[in-house]
Each structure stands twice: as C-alpha cells, then as structure tokens.
Amino acid sequence: MASVDEIKRTWLVNGRRTEVRAVPGRRVLDILWEELGLTGTKEGCGEGECGACTVLLDGDAVASCLLTAGQVADGTEIMTIEGAMETELGRVLQQAYMEAGAVQCGFCIPGMILSSWALLKRNARPTEEEVRVALAGNLCRCTGYVKIVEAVLLAAERWNGGKGGKA
Amino acid sequence: MRVAEGVAYAFPKTLAEALEIQRDGGTRGRPLAGGTDLMALWAAGVPAPERVTVLRGIPELERIELDDASGTAFVGAGVTHGRIRDHEGLTRVAPGLVAACGSVGARQIQAVGTIG
C-alpha cells in the first residue's frame, strides 16, 4: 500500500481559523466530530443520500460524509449548525422551526436548517417550490415535510421583513 | 479505519502535473474530483484504491467558455453540476445540460459533483 502522509490545512470553521491535520482520506464529518468537537452535524446514511451530515462549504450545502479532507482547500469556509446558530438568520430559522412544529425526533434538523440557511442567504423570498428543491437532499422520517416547508417560508417572512440581508 | 483513510492522495496543481502523475504506473491514481460517486461506492463496500489523484482545484479543468456566435460552449471536466445549473450563459447555449445538472442528486451533490 502506498504511504499515506498527513496533510495540514487551515479552514475557516464557523468563522474561526482552524488548523486541521489529518490523513487526506479522512471524512470532513469525522474531523468535525472527533477533532473539532462539533457534534451537531449528524451521520445518517453515510452515503450522501439523507442530508443529515449537511454542512455549508463556502456557502453551498454539501454532504460532509462524502467529502474528504484532501478535497477541501486551504481557506475554505465551513459552516456547521453550531456556526449557523451564531447568526441572525440561524436564530430566525430555529424559532420558525419551533413555532411551525417542524421538529419531531430532530435528527435531520441540523441539516435541514443549514440547507434552509443556504437558500435564504441567496433567495430571501423563495416560493414553496424553491424551498422544496433546496431541501430535496434532506430526508425526514418523521414529519412528512409540510411543517418544515412552512417553517422555512415563515422564516423568510420574518428575516428582515422579507428583505433578507446580511446573515 | 473508515472508507478512504488508507488512500494516498496526490495533489497536482495544473493539468500538466496531473497528466505527469497519471502517465506513470508507479504514481497513477484513481482520479478524484467531487468524489460523490466514489465515496458512496467505497462506503457501500467497494474496496478503495491505493492511490487517488485529486482533480479538484485545477484551473484548466474548471473553465466554462461560451461562444455565442457559434452557439457552442466549452465546459471543463472539473466543473460542478451546481456551477452549470446556475450559469446564465449556458442556459442559452445548452439548456438541456443545465436542466440535467440541476436534477443530479440534490443540492449537496450538485455543489461538489462534477460532470467528468
């Protein structure tokens, strides 16, 4: 077997410069959990189907179970649910999810909130269809999605009165 | 040890470097760009290779060039589905490709998956 050398990368994790040393094939999900103590990101299927492990990479929702450290360049911004909760948009989404009754077991919710965050950051007044497309990669076994979609539409209405803005 | 942790990675910075690595049987690795298919395969139990050559972040592979006069486009193999999905110019020249890229997996896959 070829030798596997550790790599050193500096990422901006939840706004903080974070130096990571890992073998390049280490999953970003495992680095978040085991090196950085960020356990809000969940592992559901481990195959990129369910969206529980969603994080934002430079603002885009990605599956952290399919991404290895070696694919993530120096300087990349990574936002996890912990970081989202430090933002105004994250708090608006959290409140809307609670009020809409969108959370049952809660396992899918960190990923749902991050996909919602990515959507509203780019599109402050999405249609219901746009919400459904943005959340299509996040599976929920409990709710049937109706209240989750309602929660995102409610958050959009509330976030700066529907004008969006700086997250 | 999980999925790809035993895999050696090569990080070419240019297309020429990547070709150099791939030309030699001693350094050649499975090309890895977004990795959304490969990682899912390895997670499902298909053995991971000894080596991969990372093709993410190679500028020549990430080019999109439009020629409206002839109605043609050049799309590099390392361009993600998401970039194509959101590219206004490509919507004019290659609407089918844009629609296809917007329907691969979901947002999480489109953001890193490439057309290859």
Side-chain angles (χ1 to χ4, degrees), chain A residues 41-85:
Chain A
T41 307
K42 302 306 178 196
E43 178 166 16
C45 66
E47 297 176 3
E49 296 285 347
C50 79
C53 69
T54 298
V55 300
L56 304 188
L57 210 72
D58 290 331
D60 289 322
V62 304
S64 63
C65 76
L66 292 185
L67 200 64
T68 56
Q71 294 165 276
V72 182
D74 269 319
T76 300
E77 286 185 36
I78 299 177
M79 181 186 276
T80 68
I81 189 64
E82 291 88 347
M85 286 304 117

mmCIF file of all heavy atoms in Angstrom, chain A residues 41-85:
data_model
loop_
_atom_site.group_PDB
_atom_site.id
_atom_site.type_symbol
_atom_site.label_atom_id
_atom_site.label_comp_id
_atom_site.label_asym_id
_atom_site.label_seq_id
_atom_site.Cartn_x
_atom_site.Cartn_y
_atom_site.Cartn_z
ATOM 1 N N THR A 41 -23.475 18.127 13.653
ATOM 2 C CA THR A 41 -23.593 17.522 12.325
ATOM 3 C C THR A 41 -23.845 16.025 12.525
ATOM 4 O O THR A 41 -23.103 15.373 13.246
ATOM 5 C CB THR A 41 -22.281 17.723 11.537
ATOM 6 O OG1 THR A 41 -21.960 19.115 11.552
ATOM 7 C CG2 THR A 41 -22.431 17.257 10.105
ATOM 8 N N LYS A 42 -24.880 15.496 11.909
ATOM 9 C CA LYS A 42 -25.258 14.097 12.164
ATOM 10 C C LYS A 42 -24.872 13.182 11.008
ATOM 11 O O LYS A 42 -24.883 13.604 9.855
ATOM 12 C CB LYS A 42 -26.772 13.985 12.404
ATOM 13 C CG LYS A 42 -27.288 14.835 13.558
ATOM 14 C CD LYS A 42 -26.535 14.566 14.843
ATOM 15 C CE LYS A 42 -27.038 15.452 15.981
ATOM 16 N NZ LYS A 42 -26.069 15.472 17.114
ATOM 17 N N GLU A 43 -24.571 11.945 11.323
ATOM 18 C CA GLU A 43 -24.378 10.943 10.275
ATOM 19 C C GLU A 43 -25.613 10.064 10.215
ATOM 20 O O GLU A 43 -25.950 9.380 11.181
ATOM 21 C CB GLU A 43 -23.139 10.078 10.543
ATOM 22 C CG GLU A 43 -22.988 9.014 9.448
ATOM 23 C CD GLU A 43 -21.630 8.336 9.420
ATOM 24 O OE1 GLU A 43 -20.891 8.431 10.399
ATOM 25 O OE2 GLU A 43 -21.333 7.709 8.375
ATOM 26 N N GLY A 44 -26.292 10.105 9.070
ATOM 27 C CA GLY A 44 -27.447 9.238 8.884
ATOM 28 C C GLY A 44 -27.028 8.029 8.076
ATOM 29 O O GLY A 44 -26.635 6.998 8.609
ATOM 30 N N CYS A 45 -27.043 8.176 6.753
ATOM 31 C CA CYS A 45 -26.784 7.022 5.884
ATOM 32 C C CYS A 45 -25.302 6.800 5.631
ATOM 33 O O CYS A 45 -24.883 5.686 5.333
ATOM 34 C CB CYS A 45 -27.505 7.211 4.557
ATOM 35 S SG CYS A 45 -26.872 8.592 3.573
ATOM 36 N N GLY A 46 -24.491 7.852 5.707
ATOM 37 C CA GLY A 46 -23.071 7.718 5.374
ATOM 38 C C GLY A 46 -22.810 7.505 3.900
ATOM 39 O O GLY A 46 -21.701 7.164 3.501
ATOM 40 N N GLU A 47 -23.805 7.727 3.057
ATOM 41 C CA GLU A 47 -23.659 7.517 1.608
ATOM 42 C C GLU A 47 -24.129 8.703 0.789
ATOM 43 O O GLU A 47 -24.355 8.598 -0.406
ATOM 44 C CB GLU A 47 -24.470 6.277 1.188
ATOM 45 C CG GLU A 47 -23.979 5.002 1.818
ATOM 46 C CD GLU A 47 -24.859 3.812 1.451
ATOM 47 O OE1 GLU A 47 -25.808 3.980 0.655
ATOM 48 O OE2 GLU A 47 -24.596 2.717 1.965
ATOM 49 N N GLY A 48 -24.341 9.844 1.451
ATOM 50 C CA GLY A 48 -24.708 11.049 0.712
ATOM 51 C C GLY A 48 -26.157 11.122 0.269
ATOM 52 O O GLY A 48 -26.503 11.947 -0.575
ATOM 53 N N GLU A 49 -26.999 10.275 0.817
ATOM 54 C CA GLU A 49 -28.399 10.266 0.381
ATOM 55 C C GLU A 49 -29.311 11.075 1.295
ATOM 56 O O GLU A 49 -30.323 11.612 0.846
ATOM 57 C CB GLU A 49 -28.933 8.826 0.350
ATOM 58 C CG GLU A 49 -28.255 7.920 -0.651
ATOM 59 C CD GLU A 49 -28.677 8.195 -2.086
ATOM 60 O OE1 GLU A 49 -29.669 8.910 -2.296
ATOM 61 O OE2 GLU A 49 -27.990 7.687 -2.986
ATOM 62 N N CYS A 50 -29.004 11.127 2.598
ATOM 63 C CA CYS A 50 -30.022 11.581 3.563
ATOM 64 C C CYS A 50 -29.890 13.031 3.992
ATOM 65 O O CYS A 50 -30.854 13.621 4.479
ATOM 66 C CB CYS A 50 -30.037 10.679 4.791
ATOM 67 S SG CYS A 50 -28.713 11.020 5.987
ATOM 68 N N GLY A 51 -28.699 13.620 3.861
ATOM 69 C CA GLY A 51 -28.543 15.039 4.177
ATOM 70 C C GLY A 51 -28.358 15.378 5.648
ATOM 71 O O GLY A 51 -28.185 16.550 5.988
ATOM 72 N N ALA A 52 -28.347 14.372 6.544
ATOM 73 C CA ALA A 52 -28.175 14.679 7.968
ATOM 74 C C ALA A 52 -26.806 15.293 8.238
ATOM 75 O O ALA A 52 -26.632 16.064 9.174
ATOM 76 C CB ALA A 52 -28.365 13.416 8.810
ATOM 77 N N CYS A 53 -25.819 14.965 7.393
ATOM 78 C CA CYS A 53 -24.446 15.446 7.608
ATOM 79 C C CYS A 53 -24.162 16.739 6.860
ATOM 80 O O CYS A 53 -23.001 17.132 6.735
ATOM 81 C CB CYS A 53 -23.456 14.377 7.157
ATOM 82 S SG CYS A 53 -23.444 14.155 5.365
ATOM 83 N N THR A 54 -25.205 17.414 6.373
ATOM 84 C CA THR A 54 -25.017 18.635 5.591
ATOM 85 C C THR A 54 -24.241 19.696 6.364
ATOM 86 O O THR A 54 -24.534 19.974 7.524
ATOM 87 C CB THR A 54 -26.385 19.223 5.183
ATOM 88 O OG1 THR A 54 -27.063 18.265 4.356
ATOM 89 C CG2 THR A 54 -26.234 20.534 4.428
ATOM 90 N N VAL A 55 -23.228 20.266 5.714
ATOM 91 C CA VAL A 55 -22.572 21.477 6.199
ATOM 92 C C VAL A 55 -22.492 22.439 5.014
ATOM 93 O O VAL A 55 -22.746 22.032 3.873
ATOM 94 C CB VAL A 55 -21.150 21.206 6.757
ATOM 95 C CG1 VAL A 55 -21.204 20.232 7.929
ATOM 96 C CG2 VAL A 55 -20.209 20.679 5.678
ATOM 97 N N LEU A 56 -22.169 23.702 5.279
ATOM 98 C CA LEU A 56 -22.010 24.647 4.174
ATOM 99 C C LEU A 56 -20.532 24.851 3.894
ATOM 100 O O LEU A 56 -19.751 25.138 4.797
ATOM 101 C CB LEU A 56 -22.672 25.993 4.510
ATOM 102 C CG LEU A 56 -24.154 25.954 4.881
ATOM 103 C CD1 LEU A 56 -24.715 27.370 4.986
ATOM 104 C CD2 LEU A 56 -24.966 25.138 3.894
ATOM 105 N N LEU A 57 -20.168 24.649 2.638
ATOM 106 C CA LEU A 57 -18.790 24.821 2.183
ATOM 107 C C LEU A 57 -18.789 26.059 1.286
ATOM 108 O O LEU A 57 -19.398 26.038 0.216
ATOM 109 C CB LEU A 57 -18.392 23.579 1.375
ATOM 110 C CG LEU A 57 -16.953 23.146 1.370
ATOM 111 C CD1 LEU A 57 -16.575 22.552 2.711
ATOM 112 C CD2 LEU A 57 -16.710 22.130 0.267
ATOM 113 N N ASP A 58 -18.163 27.137 1.759
ATOM 114 C CA ASP A 58 -18.231 28.418 1.043
ATOM 115 C C ASP A 58 -19.680 28.746 0.672
ATOM 116 O O ASP A 58 -19.967 29.218 -0.437
ATOM 117 C CB ASP A 58 -17.331 28.403 -0.194
ATOM 118 C CG ASP A 58 -15.846 28.415 0.174
ATOM 119 O OD1 ASP A 58 -15.495 28.953 1.238
ATOM 120 O OD2 ASP A 58 -15.041 27.873 -0.605
ATOM 121 N N GLY A 59 -20.589 28.454 1.573
ATOM 122 C CA GLY A 59 -21.990 28.833 1.387
ATOM 123 C C GLY A 59 -22.877 27.797 0.724
ATOM 124 O O GLY A 59 -24.091 27.955 0.700
ATOM 125 N N ASP A 60 -22.271 26.753 0.161
ATOM 126 C CA ASP A 60 -23.062 25.719 -0.511
ATOM 127 C C ASP A 60 -23.267 24.517 0.402
ATOM 128 O O ASP A 60 -22.322 24.044 1.028
ATOM 129 C CB ASP A 60 -22.343 25.203 -1.767
ATOM 130 C CG ASP A 60 -22.318 26.210 -2.891
ATOM 131 O OD1 ASP A 60 -23.342 26.913 -3.069
ATOM 132 O OD2 ASP A 60 -21.291 26.305 -3.580
ATOM 133 N N ALA A 61 -24.483 23.994 0.425
ATOM 134 C CA ALA A 61 -24.763 22.773 1.183
ATOM 135 C C ALA A 61 -24.019 21.609 0.528
ATOM 136 O O ALA A 61 -24.106 21.412 -0.683
ATOM 137 C CB ALA A 61 -26.268 22.496 1.198
ATOM 138 N N VAL A 62 -23.282 20.842 1.345
ATOM 139 C CA VAL A 62 -22.594 19.639 0.857
ATOM 140 C C VAL A 62 -22.788 18.522 1.880
ATOM 141 O O VAL A 62 -23.100 18.777 3.034
ATOM 142 C CB VAL A 62 -21.080 19.864 0.625
ATOM 143 C CG1 VAL A 62 -20.830 21.015 -0.330
ATOM 144 C CG2 VAL A 62 -20.349 20.097 1.941
ATOM 145 N N ALA A 63 -22.560 17.293 1.436
ATOM 146 C CA ALA A 63 -22.646 16.139 2.334
ATOM 147 C C ALA A 63 -21.256 15.893 2.920
ATOM 148 O O ALA A 63 -20.344 15.483 2.198
ATOM 149 C CB ALA A 63 -23.132 14.917 1.563
ATOM 150 N N SER A 64 -21.091 16.135 4.224
ATOM 151 C CA SER A 64 -19.748 16.020 4.812
ATOM 152 C C SER A 64 -19.310 14.564 4.954
ATOM 153 O O SER A 64 -18.155 14.287 5.243
ATOM 154 C CB SER A 64 -19.681 16.729 6.166
ATOM 155 O OG SER A 64 -20.551 16.139 7.111
ATOM 156 N N CYS A 65 -20.213 13.614 4.724
ATOM 157 C CA CYS A 65 -19.835 12.200 4.770
ATOM 158 C C CYS A 65 -19.194 11.752 3.464
ATOM 159 O O CYS A 65 -18.600 10.681 3.398
ATOM 160 C CB CYS A 65 -21.043 11.311 5.085
ATOM 161 S SG CYS A 65 -22.168 11.061 3.702
ATOM 162 N N LEU A 66 -19.339 12.539 2.408
ATOM 163 C CA LEU A 66 -18.772 12.157 1.104
ATOM 164 C C LEU A 66 -17.515 12.952 0.778
ATOM 165 O O LEU A 66 -16.923 12.760 -0.276
ATOM 166 C CB LEU A 66 -19.789 12.395 -0.030
ATOM 167 C CG LEU A 66 -21.024 11.527 -0.077
ATOM 168 C CD1 LEU A 66 -21.822 11.836 -1.348
ATOM 169 C CD2 LEU A 66 -20.670 10.053 -0.026
ATOM 170 N N LEU A 67 -17.156 13.868 1.653
ATOM 171 C CA LEU A 67 -16.067 14.778 1.344
ATOM 172 C C LEU A 67 -14.879 14.472 2.248
ATOM 173 O O LEU A 67 -15.034 14.334 3.460
ATOM 174 C CB LEU A 67 -16.564 16.204 1.596
ATOM 175 C CG LEU A 67 -15.798 17.325 0.929
ATOM 176 C CD1 LEU A 67 -15.912 17.217 -0.588
ATOM 177 C CD2 LEU A 67 -16.332 18.671 1.409
ATOM 178 N N THR A 68 -13.685 14.358 1.634
ATOM 179 C CA THR A 68 -12.503 14.063 2.446
ATOM 180 C C THR A 68 -11.654 15.323 2.605
ATOM 181 O O THR A 68 -11.733 16.254 1.792
ATOM 182 C CB THR A 68 -11.666 12.947 1.797
ATOM 183 O OG1 THR A 68 -11.326 13.317 0.454
ATOM 184 C CG2 THR A 68 -12.443 11.639 1.787
ATOM 185 N N ALA A 69 -10.831 15.317 3.645
ATOM 186 C CA ALA A 69 -10.013 16.494 3.961
ATOM 187 C C ALA A 69 -9.183 16.925 2.763
ATOM 188 O O ALA A 69 -9.031 18.119 2.503
ATOM 189 C CB ALA A 69 -9.107 16.174 5.145
ATOM 190 N N GLY A 70 -8.654 15.960 2.019
ATOM 191 C CA GLY A 70 -7.783 16.274 0.894
ATOM 192 C C GLY A 70 -8.474 17.023 -0.229
ATOM 193 O O GLY A 70 -7.819 17.599 -1.086
ATOM 194 N N GLN A 71 -9.798 17.032 -0.236
ATOM 195 C CA GLN A 71 -10.535 17.740 -1.291
ATOM 196 C C GLN A 71 -10.899 19.165 -0.888
ATOM 197 O O GLN A 71 -11.470 19.900 -1.689
ATOM 198 C CB GLN A 71 -11.830 16.986 -1.622
ATOM 199 C CG GLN A 71 -11.614 15.622 -2.240
ATOM 200 C CD GLN A 71 -12.899 14.821 -2.192
ATOM 201 O OE1 GLN A 71 -13.213 14.197 -1.189
ATOM 202 N NE2 GLN A 71 -13.647 14.842 -3.278
ATOM 203 N N VAL A 72 -10.621 19.522 0.362
ATOM 204 C CA VAL A 72 -11.054 20.831 0.859
ATOM 205 C C VAL A 72 -9.832 21.740 0.985
ATOM 206 O O VAL A 72 -8.961 21.521 1.831
ATOM 207 C CB VAL A 72 -11.788 20.702 2.211
ATOM 208 C CG1 VAL A 72 -12.267 22.056 2.695
ATOM 209 C CG2 VAL A 72 -12.968 19.731 2.078
ATOM 210 N N ALA A 73 -9.782 22.756 0.143
ATOM 211 C CA ALA A 73 -8.593 23.604 0.034
ATOM 212 C C ALA A 73 -8.404 24.485 1.269
ATOM 213 O O ALA A 73 -9.349 24.737 2.020
ATOM 214 C CB ALA A 73 -8.724 24.488 -1.212
ATOM 215 N N ASP A 74 -7.171 24.944 1.433
ATOM 216 C CA ASP A 74 -6.880 25.956 2.449
ATOM 217 C C ASP A 74 -7.799 27.150 2.241
ATOM 218 O O ASP A 74 -8.081 27.535 1.104
ATOM 219 C CB ASP A 74 -5.432 26.452 2.281
ATOM 220 C CG ASP A 74 -4.456 25.645 3.103
ATOM 221 O OD1 ASP A 74 -4.779 25.306 4.256
ATOM 222 O OD2 ASP A 74 -3.366 25.357 2.587
ATOM 223 N N GLY A 75 -8.252 27.741 3.339
ATOM 224 C CA GLY A 75 -9.047 28.969 3.256
ATOM 225 C C GLY A 75 -10.536 28.747 3.050
ATOM 226 O O GLY A 75 -11.300 29.703 3.013
ATOM 227 N N THR A 76 -10.938 27.480 2.895
ATOM 228 C CA THR A 76 -12.353 27.198 2.673
ATOM 229 C C THR A 76 -13.159 27.536 3.929
ATOM 230 O O THR A 76 -12.737 27.261 5.044
ATOM 231 C CB THR A 76 -12.546 25.707 2.338
ATOM 232 O OG1 THR A 76 -11.804 25.411 1.156
ATOM 233 C CG2 THR A 76 -14.020 25.364 2.107
ATOM 234 N N GLU A 77 -14.326 28.148 3.717
ATOM 235 C CA GLU A 77 -15.225 28.434 4.842
ATOM 236 C C GLU A 77 -16.171 27.261 5.040
ATOM 237 O O GLU A 77 -16.848 26.844 4.102
ATOM 238 C CB GLU A 77 -16.080 29.675 4.551
ATOM 239 C CG GLU A 77 -15.315 30.966 4.653
ATOM 240 C CD GLU A 77 -16.236 32.171 4.482
ATOM 241 O OE1 GLU A 77 -17.397 32.115 4.949
ATOM 242 O OE2 GLU A 77 -15.785 33.146 3.866
ATOM 243 N N ILE A 78 -16.199 26.750 6.264
ATOM 244 C CA ILE A 78 -17.119 25.662 6.594
ATOM 245 C C ILE A 78 -18.061 26.158 7.682
ATOM 246 O O ILE A 78 -17.600 26.677 8.702
ATOM 247 C CB ILE A 78 -16.358 24.410 7.094
ATOM 248 C CG1 ILE A 78 -15.406 23.899 6.010
ATOM 249 C CG2 ILE A 78 -17.329 23.309 7.519
ATOM 250 C CD1 ILE A 78 -14.558 22.706 6.425
ATOM 251 N N MET A 79 -19.353 26.048 7.445
ATOM 252 C CA MET A 79 -20.306 26.393 8.499
ATOM 253 C C MET A 79 -21.080 25.149 8.915
ATOM 254 O O MET A 79 -21.628 24.425 8.082
ATOM 255 C CB MET A 79 -21.296 27.471 8.040
ATOM 256 C CG MET A 79 -22.275 27.861 9.157
ATOM 257 S SD MET A 79 -23.551 29.001 8.616
ATOM 258 C CE MET A 79 -22.648 30.527 8.807
ATOM 259 N N THR A 80 -21.083 24.896 10.218
ATOM 260 C CA THR A 80 -21.881 23.791 10.760
ATOM 261 C C THR A 80 -23.083 24.390 11.483
ATOM 262 O O THR A 80 -23.209 25.610 11.602
ATOM 263 C CB THR A 80 -21.063 22.971 11.773
ATOM 264 O OG1 THR A 80 -20.827 23.776 12.943
ATOM 265 C CG2 THR A 80 -19.728 22.516 11.177
ATOM 266 N N ILE A 81 -23.928 23.534 12.002
ATOM 267 C CA ILE A 81 -25.114 24.018 12.699
ATOM 268 C C ILE A 81 -24.724 24.904 13.897
ATOM 269 O O ILE A 81 -25.419 25.883 14.191
ATOM 270 C CB ILE A 81 -26.021 22.835 13.135
ATOM 271 C CG1 ILE A 81 -27.357 23.335 13.663
ATOM 272 C CG2 ILE A 81 -25.318 21.929 14.146
ATOM 273 C CD1 ILE A 81 -28.212 24.048 12.641
ATOM 274 N N GLU A 82 -23.579 24.581 14.530
ATOM 275 C CA GLU A 82 -23.144 25.412 15.656
ATOM 276 C C GLU A 82 -22.881 26.850 15.191
ATOM 277 O O GLU A 82 -23.242 27.812 15.882
ATOM 278 C CB GLU A 82 -21.881 24.827 16.304
ATOM 279 C CG GLU A 82 -22.100 23.514 17.058
ATOM 280 C CD GLU A 82 -21.953 22.261 16.177
ATOM 281 O OE1 GLU A 82 -21.928 22.389 14.934
ATOM 282 O OE2 GLU A 82 -21.865 21.155 16.754
ATOM 283 N N GLY A 83 -22.240 26.982 14.034
ATOM 284 C CA GLY A 83 -21.956 28.314 13.491
ATOM 285 C C GLY A 83 -23.221 29.011 13.027
ATOM 286 O O GLY A 83 -23.385 30.220 13.204
ATOM 287 N N ALA A 84 -24.125 28.253 12.427
ATOM 288 C CA ALA A 84 -25.375 28.861 11.951
ATOM 289 C C ALA A 84 -26.152 29.480 13.106
ATOM 290 O O ALA A 84 -26.785 30.526 12.963
ATOM 291 C CB ALA A 84 -26.223 27.806 11.230
ATOM 292 N N MET A 85 -26.062 28.821 14.273
ATOM 293 C CA MET A 85 -26.806 29.321 15.433
ATOM 294 C C MET A 85 -26.193 30.584 16.016
ATOM 295 O O MET A 85 -26.777 31.226 16.877
ATOM 296 C CB MET A 85 -26.910 28.233 16.513
ATOM 297 C CG MET A 85 -27.906 27.146 16.157
ATOM 298 S SD MET A 85 -29.557 27.811 15.806
ATOM 299 C CE MET A 85 -29.733 27.354 14.102
#
